[in-house]
Amino acid sequence: MRVFITGASGWIGSAVVAELLDSGHQVVGLARSDASAAALAAAGAEVHRGSLDDLAGLAEAAAASDGVIHLAFKHDIAFSGGFQAAADADRRAVETFGEALAGSDRTLVIASGTLGLAPGCVATERDGHDLGEAAWLSDGPRTRHATAELVLSFASRGIRSSVVRLSPTNHGDGDNGFMATVVRVARDKGVSGYVGDGTNRWPAVHRLDSAHLCRLAVESAPAGSTLHAVADEGVQFRAIADVIGRHLDLPVVSIAPDQALEHFAPLGAFVGMDSPASSTLTRELMEWEPTRPGLIEDLDEGHYFAS
């Protein structure tokens, strides 16, 4: 297959590029910068210069491909007060892909998330499809959830569309995301914190297992599929804090819920959420089985604390 990937030079995208190339596919990666273009070329991928705002370029690249994997999101503005603008840009890109691929029976895979799908319950692939049940969502996240549902509806327009919901932490050596941020907060604050009693649960997955699922999705996911990239169904945040405290030789302390935003910023709104998720249906449908270390084992390997 010839696969066009947005976010191709990112943390998960670069692993997806390698996964696809190793499996014999041709990869075209979207690159905004010279550095991203150089990284993609070095990996063996073709480079398509542009951005999520270049809708004509996105349509051209999608039309020339057998499938699209859309992983890019404007995280830089999303987490600096512009989540709605980032979600709107994402929506426009997805609509563009839908128009370019309609009636072709070609593939569109997009990334979404598991966090907050069914707070306090183990979310399955069947959850989170009724936005009326998620009144707590603010406008930006609501827009992004609605975009995922739009992609699933593309199945009725002759597109083999699927949504891969990623765990909130896709861990591994080199990670600079949620888990690395939690480690940095512990260093900065001098304590390894958790919210309340720390029994809230986070799903987790190794980035290479996520990349494998993305490949399976673009190759063979049935139209309209919702897939969960989840290996650890729910790791208690207290257990995460314990490992971080042990490796950094810091006290492990409870942070009051009303102090979470101040202590964990910019992650204060997330670290106290109890949001476990299952991938049972995904494993059965796609014959996907995570093989990489779980989150606690990966933390204990020490690479998060090397500097």
Side-chain angles (χ1 to χ4, degrees):
M1 295 179 68
R2 178 181 174 88
V3 183
F4 175 56
I5 305 179
T6 71
S9 60
W11 171 239
I12 297 171
S14 58
V16 175
V17 167
E19 174 83 19
L20 288 168
L21 290 172
D22 287 347
S23 297
H25 297 294
Q26 183 181 5
V27 175
V28 181
L30 180 67
R32 289 187 302 166
S33 67
D34 291 343
S36 293
L40 286 169
E46 294 183 30
V47 176
H48 179 92
R49 291 301 297 262
S51 72
L52 289 185
D53 296 320
D54 178 14
L55 300 182
L58 295 182
E60 178 185 358
S65 301
D66 299 309
V68 175
I69 300 178
H70 176 46
L71 302 175
F73 190 71
K74 294 185 175 183
H75 291 99
D76 52 344
I77 66 171
F79 292 107
S80 60
F83 201 104
Q84 184 63 57
D88 289 342
D90 183 60
R91 176 78 175 208
R92 291 190 293 269
V94 164
E95 289 172 344
T96 297
F97 291 139
E99 290 299 320
L101 297 174
S104 68
D105 292 323
R106 285 177 286 167
T107 308
L108 173 62
V109 179
I110 76 158
S112 184
T114 65
L115 197 62
L117 287 174
C121 302
V122 178
T124 77
E125 294 85 343
R126 297 190 179 101
D127 290 313
H129 298 291
D130 183 355
L131 287 176
E133 296 177 351
W136 57 274
L137 283 175
S138 58
D139 289 343
R142 179 175 290 274
T143 298
R144 201 169 189 206
H145 277 267
T147 297
E149 294 306 300
L150 174 66
V151 168
L152 295 178
S153 77
F154 286 166
S156 66
R157 297 177 57 190
I159 301 172
R160 189 163 56 82
S161 59
S162 61
V163 173
V164 176
R165 290 172 173 170
L166 299 168
S167 297
T169 179
N170 283 249
H171 53 86
D173 193 357
D175 176 20
N176 196 36
F178 274 12
M179 202 48 51
T181 300
V182 173
V183 172
R184 285 197 296 271
V185 168
R187 279 198 172 104
D188 292 344
K189 299 291 186 178
V191 297
S192 180
Y194 57 89
V195 176
D197 64 5
T199 59
N200 62 295
R201 297 157 292 174
W202 267 27
V205 66
H206 196 283
R207 72 187 279 252
L208 298 181
D209 285 322
S210 286
H212 183 203
L213 181 58
C214 286
R215 174 175 68 81
L216 294 178
V218 78
E219 288 177 343
S220 61
S225 299
T226 299
L227 308 174
H228 278 192
V230 173
D232 291 318
E233 186 172 282
V235 182
Q236 289 193 353
F237 211 89
R238 172 62 192 263
I240 297 170
D242 284 341
V243 176
I244 294 172
R246 174 160 43 81
H247 278 269
L248 296 180
D249 195 22
L250 294 174
V252 179
V253 302
S254 172
I255 306 299
D258 62 358
Q259 297 297 312
L261 281 172
E262 177 182 352
H263 184 88
F264 288 103
L267 299 183
F270 306 109
V271 294
M273 294 181 69
D274 184 39
S275 194
S278 166
S279 59
T280 299
L281 298 178
T282 296
R283 297 181 195 220
E284 293 174 352
L285 178 67
M286 303 304 300
E287 297 184 356
W288 173 72
E289 190 63 39
T291 61
R292 303 290 175 167
L295 176 56
I296 297 300
E297 181 183 354
D298 198 15
L299 284 168
D300 260 332
E301 288 185 359
H303 50 80
Y304 278 95
F305 315 101
S307 60

